[in-house]
Amino acid sequence: MILTNHRPSTIARERAAYRKRQTVRSVLIAATSTGLLGTLLVVAVTGAPGWERVQQSFFDPQIARDALPDVLTGLWLNVQLLVCCALGALTLGLLLAVLRTLRGPVFFPVRALATGYTYTFRGLPVIIVLYVLTLGVPGLRLQGMPSVLVLGGIALVLTFGAYLAEVFRAGIESVHASQLAAARSLGLTYRQTMRYVVLPQAVRRVAPPLLNDIIALQKDVGLVSLAGPIDAVRAAQIATAESFNYTPYIVAGVLFVLLAIPLIAVTDWVTLRAARRQAER
């Protein structure tokens, strides 16, 4: 017999009503506490003796409106550089991770080179790599030397590729050895095993830390301005030099935060999804 008019029991309805009340209560408490804390911060900052001077130097609405078009134009360069550098760093990191996980004594030199590379570029500050490639390499005066912008992007790819390589390697090594043995027993080559069995699982497992590194890269693309290209940071610096006011830097910072919010939201969503899948197993 199929029940078509199922009604929840009294206990189930009471439990649902209780959960709804608790949810509303939690939201009200969170909103109230957030409002109180925000009010206290605003009062503390605006009540400081030097607030008027700080407001004029960092939060001038007219200067912000004047600087916004140039900073936005520079931000588009940052976005383009971010996309290119992210793709390059992900490709380089995956290649290094695969090289570091090769087995057999014949591949020892390859593993040693990949390990030395990751150790070196994870230890070097990004700004030093940028200076070497954007100021030192052009001094060689080689034929076909790329622009400073391209050299700056290469510096970011080399640095973040080392970080991403360790993330990929952790994902590859997290796949149980029995899956590799099962794939090889089915006749798959090592290359096919990595492509169809190991890498799909590895990338899915390390997606949250990969996205976190991309967010870090999104901030560091602004360092390219040290070499001369007019990105959002350099445009803000030029506007600051013209007006003797630091508000353009605040404009650039706000735009970088707005640019990062979608990436952060995607990272949180992927992390939550991975946690739910792990809990369901």
Side-chain angles (χ1 to χ4, degrees):
M1 180 178 178
I2 301 176
L3 299 177
T4 57
N5 295 324
H6 174 71
R7 298 179 61 185
S9 63
T10 303
I11 297 178
R13 291 197 299 271
E14 291 177 354
R15 185 183 296 113
Y18 173 77
R19 290 175 177 173
K20 184 176 181 180
R21 290 195 301 270
Q22 288 297 106
T23 301
V24 173
R25 179 174 176 271
S26 299
V27 171
L28 290 176
I29 292 176
T32 303
S33 61
T34 303
L36 289 175
L37 179 60
T39 302
L40 289 176
L41 289 176
V42 170
V43 171
V45 172
T46 57
W51 166 245
E52 291 185 2
R53 180 61 178 170
V54 172
Q55 185 180 21
Q56 294 174 0
S57 299
F58 288 89
F59 302 100
D60 191 312
Q62 182 60 44
I63 293 179
R65 285 192 294 268
D66 295 339
L68 182 59
D70 292 335
V71 176
L72 274 175
T73 302
L75 185 69
W76 174 237
L77 179 62
N78 290 115
V79 173
Q80 293 175 299
L81 190 62
L82 171 63
V83 173
C84 296
C85 290
L87 294 176
L90 288 170
T91 303
L92 178 61
L94 182 58
L95 176 62
L96 290 170
V98 172
L99 293 179
R100 288 198 65 182
T101 54
L102 291 175
R103 296 292 181 261
V106 69
F107 294 113
F108 175 77
V110 177
R111 293 196 302 270
L113 287 174
T115 302
Y117 176 90
T118 55
Y119 279 29
T120 300
F121 280 92
R122 287 169 66 198
L124 281 174
V126 182
I127 191 170
I128 292 179
V129 182
L130 276 168
Y131 279 146
V132 170
L133 265 74
T134 58
L135 302 180
V137 172
L140 298 176
R141 299 182 180 179
L142 300 175
Q143 293 291 335
M145 180 66 64
S147 65
V148 173
L149 179 63
V150 175
L151 291 174
I154 293 174
L156 293 174
V157 170
L158 292 176
T159 302
F160 279 87
Y163 288 101
L164 295 176
E166 289 302 290
V167 176
F168 279 121
R169 186 171 70 91
I172 291 173
E173 294 182 348
S174 69
V175 179
H176 200 273
S178 62
Q179 298 195 38
L180 279 75
R184 298 303 296 272
S185 66
L186 292 174
L188 273 68
T189 63
Y190 178 80
R191 180 180 177 182
Q192 291 173 328
T193 301
M194 291 295 294
R195 179 179 178 183
Y196 296 110
V197 179
V198 177
L199 289 181
Q201 298 182 69
V203 173
R204 185 165 57 248
R205 292 179 181 181
V206 299
L210 285 177
L211 291 173
N212 280 327
D213 284 337
I214 297 301
I215 293 172
L217 175 61
Q218 179 260 326
K219 296 184 297 181
D220 285 349
V221 292
L223 294 175
V224 178
S225 63
L226 296 173
I230 303 179
D231 67 336
V233 179
R234 176 67 71 179
Q237 183 183 22
I238 294 173
T240 298
E242 293 175 348
S243 62
F244 300 99
N245 190 286
Y246 295 100
T247 302
Y249 281 121
I250 302 299
V251 174
V254 171
L255 292 178
F256 270 100
V257 171
L258 295 176
L259 180 63
I261 286 177
L263 291 174
I264 296 173
V266 171
T267 302
D268 292 341
W269 177 77
V270 171
T271 304
L272 181 60
R273 184 183 179 187
R276 287 176 177 175
R277 284 184 174 181
Q278 188 67 24
E280 290 174 355
R281 292 182 178 178

